[in-house]
């Protein structure tokens, strides 16, 4: 399984990097919308929407929301204001999701009310993350948006890798045993260190000055913590329905949502930090 996981990662990573660096913002918005909506399809399954027709209708509604956002932004002279507002909404949502994690049994049953909460959570996770991705890639703060987006993704990837190896070697204290028994506090620390180091090391390539590096490091800390919340929240959804993975599309990795859970939470936080601190 580990070999399959590594081979799949080696195949996906160059494709993702090439797309981020070579595609212009409208194209990256379109491609990422397809990927994010695929993750949302899996989210709907975890929310107990088993009927294919119902899941398709809900997916189309979210697609229409994306199209409406693009149309409104285009008719507004190409302004990113609406996208930025959605990204800010994403930050607010993930703060609420942190509270949800503290109450494991909330919406854990399979009744209509629980489904409504999880459906709303899916939209609040996916749409703002997609908006944040577009905002970062557009690069209003001096250009190089594609490099900043790649840096944001690299922070998440480094966090996952650092947490995995640190947790395996040093992990003793469980982070959230009821939600994700394999995650440890030591792994969190290792992931945090790895994410911040990657951010500081590669931010100059995206155009950050030496004076801005402490600000980048601060945003990286927040981004890492958000990515952990995203990971834990998907684990919570899977625990509620007794699922091991969100899907089977990616060999060795599970579903698309399994690969994007951290990214969904990290991107709005990174975008907010970049807008607020101006790098």
């Amino acid at each position: 399984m580990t070999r399959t996981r590594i081979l799949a990662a080696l195949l996906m990573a160059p494709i993702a990097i090439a797309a981020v660096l070579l595609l212009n913002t409208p194209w990256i918005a379109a491609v990422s919308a397809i990927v994010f909506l695929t993750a949302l399809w899996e989210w709907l399954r975890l929310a107990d929407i088993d009927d294919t027709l119902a899941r398709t209708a809900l997916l189309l509604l979210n697609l229409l929301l994306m199209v409406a956002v693009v149309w409104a932004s285009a008719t507004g002279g190409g302004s990113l204001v609406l996208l930025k507002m959605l990204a800010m909404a994403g930050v607010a949502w993930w703060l609420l999701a942190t509270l949800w994690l503290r109450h494991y049994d909330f919406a854990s049953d399979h009744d209509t009310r629980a489904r409504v909460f999880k459906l709303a959570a899916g939209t609040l996770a996916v749409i703002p993350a997609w908006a944040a991705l577009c905002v970062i890639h557009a690069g209003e703060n001096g250009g190089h948006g594609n490099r900043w987006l790649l840096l944001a993704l690299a922070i998440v990837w480094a966090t996952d890798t650092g947490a995995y190896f640190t947790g395996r070697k040093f992990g003793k204290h469980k982070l959230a045993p009821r939600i994700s028994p394999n995650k440890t506090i030591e792994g969190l620390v290792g992931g945090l260190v790895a994410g911040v180091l990657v951010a500081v090391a590669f931010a100059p390539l995206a155009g950050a000055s030496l004076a801005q590096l402490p600000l980048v490091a601060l945003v990286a800390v927040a981004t890492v913590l958000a990515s952990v919340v995203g990971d834990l929240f998907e684990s919570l959804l899977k625990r509620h329905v007794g699922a091991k993975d969100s899907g089977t599309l990616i060999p060795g990795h599970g579903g698309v949502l399994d690969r994007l859970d951290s990214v969904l939470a990290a991107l709005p936080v990174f975008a907010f930090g970049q807008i607020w601190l101006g790098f």
Side-chain angles (χ1 to χ4, degrees), residues 72-83:
S73 299
T75 55
S79 172
L80 298 178
V81 172
L82 183 55
L83 290 166

Side-chain angles (χ1 to χ4, degrees), residues 146-156 198-203 206 216 270 279:
N146 55 351
R147 299 181 188 179
W148 281 113
L149 178 57
L150 184 59
L151 179 64
L153 295 174
I155 291 171
V156 177
V198 165
V200 172
F202 292 100
V216 173
F270 187 90
F279 59 80

Side-chain angles (χ1 to χ4, degrees), residues 36-239:
F36 281 25
L37 288 172
T38 303
L40 182 59
W41 176 266
E42 297 174 352
W43 186 301
L44 295 176
R45 185 178 70 86
L46 297 179
D48 282 322
I49 308 300
D50 297 321
D51 182 69
T52 302
L53 181 59
R55 288 166 69 184
T56 302
L58 290 167
L59 198 72
L60 286 175
L61 286 175
N62 282 273
L63 173 59
L64 288 174
L65 179 56
M66 288 178 168
V67 172
V69 169
V70 171
W71 176 82
S73 299
T75 55
S79 172
L80 298 178
V81 172
L82 183 55
L83 290 166
K84 290 178 180 179
M85 290 175 62
L86 284 171
M88 301 309 101
V91 175
W93 151 244
W94 285 110
L95 289 174
L96 288 174
T98 305
L99 296 177
W100 193 333
L101 293 176
R102 292 175 59 88
H103 301 280
Y104 176 90
D105 293 323
F106 179 76
S108 61
D109 51 12
H110 306 281
D111 64 14
T112 302
R113 185 180 65 176
R115 290 177 184 175
V116 170
F117 282 127
K118 291 176 180 178
L119 290 177
T123 297
L124 289 169
V126 170
I127 301 297
W130 169 78
L133 181 148
C134 297
V135 168
I136 298 169
H137 194 273
E140 279 196 330
N141 293 335
H144 300 306
N146 55 351
R147 299 181 188 179
W148 281 113
L149 178 57
L150 184 59
L151 179 64
L153 295 174
I155 291 171
V156 177
W157 298 337
T159 298
D160 288 345
T161 304
Y164 176 76
F165 287 106
T166 305
R168 284 193 64 179
K169 186 169 182 63
F170 302 106
K172 293 181 180 179
H173 302 89
K174 301 297 183 182
L175 178 63
R178 196 174 181 188
I179 298 174
S180 185
N182 292 328
K183 289 182 174 56
T184 62
I185 294 175
E186 291 81 3
L188 171 61
V189 173
L192 182 63
V193 171
V196 173
L197 286 177
V198 165
V200 172
F202 292 100
L205 297 178
S209 66
L210 185 62
Q212 290 175 322
L213 291 184
L215 301 179
V216 173
L218 180 62
V219 172
V221 170
T223 301
V224 168
L225 296 178
S227 74
V228 174
V229 172
D231 192 347
L232 288 175
F233 193 82
E234 195 225 354
S235 296
L236 178 70
L237 295 179
K238 291 189 290 189
R239 288 278 171 183

